[in-house]
Amino acid sequence: MKISTTFKTLIGVISLAIFLYWIFSDLIPTKSEFDISDKENAKIINMFNAEIEKQLDDHTQSVTHPGYIVESRQNTLTYLKTIKIIQSYARSGVKSTQPRNLLQLQITFNDGSTVDKIYTGYSCSGFMDPCLLLKIEMKDGKAIKAFTNGQEKKGSPEWIIPDLNILIDKAIAYDIKQNHDRYFAPQKTQKDFEKEWQNEK
């Protein structure tokens, strides 16, 4: 009788463990060989640097993004020169089927500091082919080495242009968020508003 009760308890514990794993398995990161950007592709270097120039123009001269101060272009260049590595990754792994499996960036600076979990607005889904992940090594604001998880070879070179732009655009956007006054006129304060009302006739 004692053996039977122990056996039933063991079966119950195993069944509960299987059930909990089934319920919560989507919350466990699903990492695979496609989550490692270790395949060098030198052809991406010039492509990436060309997109940097386009992003510089878009962020500082485009009529669709008005308001940038004159110094913003030079300030962007100065910021890019502080970056050592930009890389993308999927929060739960590129093969994960978990909802909101966000594509995020990690930036490593020349001084050794790192920022992580930079939001891109994009996500990866395990229901599709693994998304392209990139790792770009930089010097003096330009790419000098490029690594991927190998997914770029499944399409034409121009297909990865949006992926390159995500890295550059979101890396610059991070600095804009941290250092607003390097890109735009200082934000108005309550005192500025009060003065405007005083001067209103």
Side-chain angles (χ1 to χ4, degrees):
M1 189 68 154
K2 184 177 180 181
I3 295 175
S4 177
T5 303
T6 303
F7 182 74
K8 286 180 180 178
T9 303
L10 182 61
I11 292 297
V13 169
I14 292 172
S15 299
L16 179 61
I18 292 171
F19 176 74
L20 290 175
Y21 177 81
W22 179 72
I23 292 293
F24 295 107
S25 60
D26 272 349
L27 300 178
I28 301 171
T30 308
K31 300 297 182 180
S32 72
E33 69 273 19
F34 297 110
D35 288 289
I36 303 171
S37 300
D38 60 353
K39 297 168 180 63
E40 190 167 4
N41 187 338
K43 294 182 183 295
I44 292 177
I45 296 172
N46 287 338
M47 295 170 64
F48 189 82
N49 288 334
E51 294 307 309
I52 286 178
E53 291 301 317
K54 291 179 184 177
Q55 284 292 331
L56 283 170
D57 289 342
D58 189 46
H59 276 280
T60 60
Q61 298 177 21
S62 173
V63 293
T64 60
H65 292 84
Y68 287 95
I69 59 176
V70 175
E71 297 84 1
S72 62
R73 183 181 181 86
Q74 184 55 51
N75 290 340
T76 306
L77 285 168
T78 301
Y79 162 68
L80 290 175
K81 289 180 179 180
T82 69
I83 296 176
K84 183 177 182 180
I85 300 171
I86 307 175
Q87 56 187 329
S88 57
Y89 64 94
R91 184 172 67 177
S92 301
V94 293
K95 284 193 170 182
S96 174
T97 56
Q98 180 181 339
R100 292 183 53 77
N101 183 24
L102 301 177
L103 182 71
Q104 298 177 314
L105 299 186
Q106 181 185 75
I107 302 176
T108 302
F109 296 97
N110 293 328
D111 64 4
S113 62
T114 300
V115 290
D116 206 357
K117 300 180 181 178
I118 297 174
Y119 179 72
T120 67
Y122 296 86
S123 61
C124 295
S125 174
F127 294 113
M128 303 166 62
D129 283 337
C131 59
L132 173 64
L133 298 183
L134 293 154
K135 178 181 177 181
I136 306 294
E137 294 184 7
M138 300 180 66
K139 184 177 181 180
D140 294 326
K142 298 288 185 182
I144 57 171
K145 287 187 178 181
F147 301 87
T148 76
N149 61 349
Q151 293 302 95
E152 79 280 7
K153 298 292 181 67
K154 292 187 176 181
S156 300
E158 63 265 21
W159 291 7
I160 73 164
I161 298 298
D163 298 273
L164 302 179
N165 275 321
I166 288 171
L167 260 67
I168 305 163
D169 179 51
K170 300 308 177 182
I172 294 172
Y174 168 78
D175 193 53
I176 291 174
K177 185 176 179 181
Q178 299 298 312
N179 301 288
H180 177 274
D181 292 356
R182 292 181 187 172
Y183 298 88
F184 299 96
Q187 292 178 317
K188 291 183 178 181
T189 65
Q190 185 60 43
K191 288 184 178 180
D192 294 321
F193 297 138
E194 291 171 2
K195 187 175 181 180
E196 288 177 3
W197 277 106
Q198 289 173 0
N199 295 333
E200 182 66 23
K201 296 180 180 179

